[in-house]
């Protein structure tokens, strides 16, 4: 982190601290100290804690959009039901193991009832973005004859909702990672058997 530009270093320091202590448990001086700065010098870069927090969320949203492949980026449409499973499992690995995303989920869990923006982000990240992404993917797969004709938005809701629940279990109990991943894969395989229009290797 020492090699980062100062503004970015402050944001990553804030991410660490907010994910451990919550927004109210962290002061500007502690963020500065954690970033290797004197308290007053932090104000050359940010107006205060709320400005840091807002900038942090902007950074996280950009990171998430690029890393996860949301609708306004290159989606990568599956060419088979097996592709669907492997692509989805790759996204699961990202969301479970990416340090920025894991810490952000902890912040969202703590701050969603304090901040209207965090409440909106929690709903968007935990369900709406994923549902929109998979609705687009499923509509494409239906056109190709890979997936049965149905309401792609409803199928997307069915596809992603159990995954969100299981990832929350992993966040609380990371020692259950192998169990969680196995259940997610079995859920995907069941979805493929139920809605697929082709023979799958599952």
């Amino acid at each position: 982190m020492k090699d980062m530009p100062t503004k970015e270093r402050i944001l990553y320091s804030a991410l660490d601290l907010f994910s451990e202590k919550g927004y109210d448990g962290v002061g500007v001086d502690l963020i500065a100290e954690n970033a290797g700065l004197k308290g007053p010098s932090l104000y050359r870069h940010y107006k205060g804690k709320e400005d840091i927090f807002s900038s942090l969320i902007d950074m996280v949203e950009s990171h998430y959009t690029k890393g996860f492949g949301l609708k306004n980026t290159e989606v990568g449409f599956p060419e088979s039901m097996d592709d669907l499973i492997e692509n989805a499992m790759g996204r699961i690995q990202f969301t479970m193991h990416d340090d920025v995303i894991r810490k952000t989920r902890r912040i969202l869990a703590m701050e969603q009832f304090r901040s209207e923006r965090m409440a909106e982000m929690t709903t968007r990240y935990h369900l709406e973005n994923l549902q929109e992404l998979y609705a687009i993917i499923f509509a494409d797969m239906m056109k190709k004859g890979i997936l049965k004709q149905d309401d792609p938005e409803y199928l997307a809701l069915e596809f992603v909702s159990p995954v969100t629940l299981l990832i929350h279990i992993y966040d609380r109990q990371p020692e259950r990672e192998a169990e969680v991943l196995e259940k997610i894969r079995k859920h995907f395989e069941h979805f493929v058997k139920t809605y697929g229009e082709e023979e799958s290797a599952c």
Side-chain angles (χ1 to χ4, degrees):
M1 198 161 74
K2 289 180 181 179
D3 296 332
M4 288 181 185
T6 303
K7 287 192 75 165
E8 191 174 340
R9 196 163 77 243
I10 291 168
L11 293 183
Y12 277 95
S13 296
L15 176 67
D16 290 342
L17 292 167
F18 289 146
S19 70
E20 292 170 10
K21 302 174 184 291
Y23 181 86
D24 290 336
V26 177
V28 170
D29 288 344
L30 185 57
I31 295 172
E33 180 184 346
N34 197 49
L37 302 169
K38 301 270 187 196
S41 64
L42 182 143
Y43 290 99
R44 295 178 197 150
H45 305 282
Y46 297 100
K47 296 174 185 176
K49 188 167 75 166
E50 190 60 42
D51 187 26
I52 294 170
F53 191 72
S54 179
S55 298
L56 174 62
I57 297 310
D58 289 341
M59 181 194 80
V60 168
E61 291 201 86
S62 176
H63 178 83
Y64 184 77
T65 298
K66 289 175 184 174
F68 202 83
L70 296 179
K71 63 176 183 176
N72 56 343
T73 65
E74 189 64 37
V75 170
F77 293 107
E79 295 299 326
S80 69
M81 296 304 279
D82 290 330
D83 278 351
L84 172 67
I85 292 177
E86 295 313 314
N87 290 351
M89 290 303 296
R91 288 187 169 98
I92 297 301
Q93 291 288 345
F94 169 75
T95 200
M96 287 174 72
H97 295 133
D98 183 89
D99 203 40
V100 170
I101 300 306
R102 287 179 64 241
K103 289 175 180 176
T104 301
R105 278 203 305 276
R106 289 187 64 180
I107 296 171
L108 289 173
M110 288 187 278
E111 303 299 328
Q112 60 185 304
F113 301 107
R114 183 194 69 82
S115 160
E116 186 176 334
R117 185 178 183 191
M118 295 301 279
E120 187 269 335
M121 271 187 68
T122 303
T123 301
R124 197 150 35 88
Y125 278 10
H126 290 174
L127 182 61
E128 290 176 348
N129 281 348
L130 297 172
Q131 186 182 3
E132 289 173 8
L133 172 69
Y134 280 100
I136 291 168
I137 288 173
F138 291 162
D140 179 76
M141 293 177 77
M142 288 174 196
K143 285 180 185 175
K144 294 173 180 172
I146 301 169
L147 197 66
K148 290 179 181 176
Q149 293 298 318
D150 207 319
D151 181 340
E153 290 187 8
Y154 182 80
L155 288 190
L157 182 64
E158 183 176 338
F159 190 74
V160 304
S161 295
V163 176
T164 296
L165 174 64
L166 287 162
I167 288 175
H168 285 314
I169 292 173
Y170 162 76
D171 284 341
R172 291 188 295 270
Q173 298 172 285
E175 68 277 5
R176 295 177 66 180
E177 177 180 352
E179 174 195 350
V180 164
L181 285 171
E182 181 182 3
K183 286 181 177 177
I184 290 172
R185 183 174 282 277
K186 284 184 177 178
H187 163 62
F188 289 159
E189 290 172 354
H190 177 74
F191 182 92
V192 161
K193 288 175 184 174
T194 304
Y195 296 109
E197 288 281 31
E198 60 169 24
E199 282 297 317
S200 172
C202 297

